[in-house]
Amino acid sequence: MTIGLSQYLLVSSILFGIGLLGIVIKRNVIAVLMCLELLLNAVNINFIAISRYVLTDSAVAQVFALLVIVVAAAEVAVGLSLIIAIYKKKRSIHIDDFNILKG
Amino acid sequence: MGELIQNLFTADMLYALVFTALAAVIILGAVGVVLLPNIIHNAYCLILTFLGVAGLYLQTGAGFVGIVQIFVYAGAISVLVIFAVMLVMDREPKRTSPFIPKGKRNWWAAYGVILFVAAMFLTITKTVWPQFGSGLAEKTEVTQIADLFLGEYVIAFEAAAILLLVAVIGAIILAKGVKDE
């Protein structure tokens, strides 16, 4: 079996599926954030595979992958500090307790 | 030794072997993130997945993105996540790792995800992928990425810089809290 574009895309779609499952069934907010990171990594695998097999003459896909990494870093920083701020108030990281915006 | 390996495996087979091993690491790590009950084990499995993805980038020839993946994901983000886990660890383990295996809802979620992945499989295998360029990209030089970032995509580059600055300030203010006057 030779490895081509579709093998990379299959691995990334499996990773995306697992991350999606985690977001739905996990009840710990930090675990939900971790599964979000899995989704972003799946997207990045797609970008890199496209860069090798489809857009072979330029590095545009890798530029986009790097931008995704930047956004992920910013998202984790803000998300975790939000979680800590809410934890200080409610003493819980259960996702059902994160409803303080509800009127 | 090197010649023996060259005689036993062709380059394609070695590539496939490394790819399969890295894919197994990635998938197993992701399954660990979702299914293990202890949140700190989830974090360790997450690092395993990040390293597997970085290996995939290095194998594909995207060396710079692979190194950035190791620095930012396996280094910075995982430390941040583990730090947050330690800060909010509760004495009550049921409360810290609320994973409910008995709920019927989870099985519905699993069926939905399996359906989604099956649809993706069909789409990916049925599609004929076009190619814009000459053959396989063996290796990307960092200078190519630098040319794009400081040339065509300079606005995105600057916007990313501003985003990081705002995120850092916002994170500090959110975590520290603002004193009332």
Side-chain angles (χ1 to χ4, degrees), chain A residues 1-3 5-11 13-18 20-22 24-28 30-31 34-35 37-38 40-41 44-45 48 51-60 62-74 76-78 80-82 84-85 87-88 91-94 97, chain B residues 12 15-16 19 23 26-27 30-31 33-34 36 39 42-43 46 49-50 53 56-57 59-60 62 64-65 68-69 72-73 77 80-81 84-85 87-88 95-96 98-100 105-106 109-110 113 116-117 120-121 124 129-137 140 145 148-149 153 160 163-164 167 171 174-175:
Chain A
M1 184 180 79
T2 52
I3 301 298
L5 176 64
S6 47
Q7 274 75 28
Y8 281 94
L9 298 187
L10 290 183
V11 168
S13 66
I14 294 173
L15 187 60
F16 194 91
I18 295 172
L20 209 59
L21 182 67
V24 177
I25 69 176
K26 283 289 197 183
R27 302 283 90 190
N28 184 332
I30 298 180
M34 288 183 201
C35 294
E37 295 304 311
L38 292 184
L40 290 170
N41 266 286
N44 263 355
I45 292 176
I48 298 299
S51 161
R52 181 183 167 91
Y53 291 100
V54 180
L55 283 167
T56 49
D57 280 348
S58 93
V60 178
Q62 294 186 28
V63 166
F64 276 90
L66 288 169
L67 287 175
V68 169
I69 290 178
V70 168
V71 173
V76 164
V78 174
L80 286 178
S81 55
L82 261 179
I84 287 171
Y87 177 76
K88 276 198 256 178
R91 288 282 141 195
S92 162
I93 48 169
H94 196 285
D97 292 330
Chain B
D12 271 355
Y15 195 91
F19 176 82
I26 291 170
I27 303 296
V31 169
V33 171
V34 175
L36 287 182
I39 180 82
N42 291 163
L46 190 70
T49 306
F50 287 161
V53 173
L56 213 59
Y57 295 167
Q59 186 207 14
T60 319
F64 181 67
V65 187
V68 168
Q69 166 92 4
V72 175
Y73 270 115
I77 289 183
L80 214 60
V81 167
V85 168
L87 271 179
V88 300
R95 206 78 177 136
T96 43
F99 170 69
I100 319 152
R105 211 179 53 151
N106 293 340
V113 164
F116 166 77
V117 173
M120 292 294 279
F121 264 60
I124 288 166
W129 298 97
Q131 196 173 28
F132 306 101
S134 49
L136 285 185
T140 317
I145 298 174
L148 283 170
F149 257 138
Y153 293 95
L163 173 73
L164 276 180
L174 279 173

Side-chain angles (χ1 to χ4, degrees), chain B residues 35-169:
Chain B
L35 291 187
L36 287 182
N38 190 337
I39 180 82
I40 204 83
H41 295 162
N42 291 163
Y44 291 149
C45 285
L46 190 70
I47 297 177
L48 194 70
T49 306
F50 287 161
L51 288 177
V53 173
L56 213 59
Y57 295 167
L58 293 177
Q59 186 207 14
T60 319
F64 181 67
V65 187
I67 298 296
V68 168
Q69 166 92 4
I70 292 178
F71 278 174
V72 175
Y73 270 115
I77 289 183
S78 48
V79 166
L80 214 60
V81 167
I82 290 176
F83 210 78
V85 168
M86 304 255 177
L87 271 179
V88 300
M89 272 264 213
D90 225 305
R91 286 137 210 83
E92 215 182 330
K94 282 242 172 60
R95 206 78 177 136
T96 43
S97 27
F99 170 69
I100 319 152
K102 55 181 185 289
K104 210 170 204 175
R105 211 179 53 151
N106 293 340
W107 289 111
W108 283 114
Y111 294 146
V113 164
I114 288 169
L115 211 65
F116 166 77
V117 173
M120 292 294 279
F121 264 60
L122 272 180
T123 318
I124 288 166
T125 44
K126 289 270 184 285
T127 310
V128 180
W129 298 97
Q131 196 173 28
F132 306 101
S134 49
L136 285 185
E138 280 304 326
K139 206 166 117 230
T140 317
E141 301 291 338
V142 184
T143 47
Q144 275 176 276
I145 298 174
D147 278 342
L148 283 170
F149 257 138
L150 297 177
E152 203 176 339
Y153 293 95
V154 68
I155 304 224
F157 183 70
E158 296 296 335
I162 294 171
L163 173 73
L164 276 180
L165 178 69
V166 171
V168 167
I169 295 172

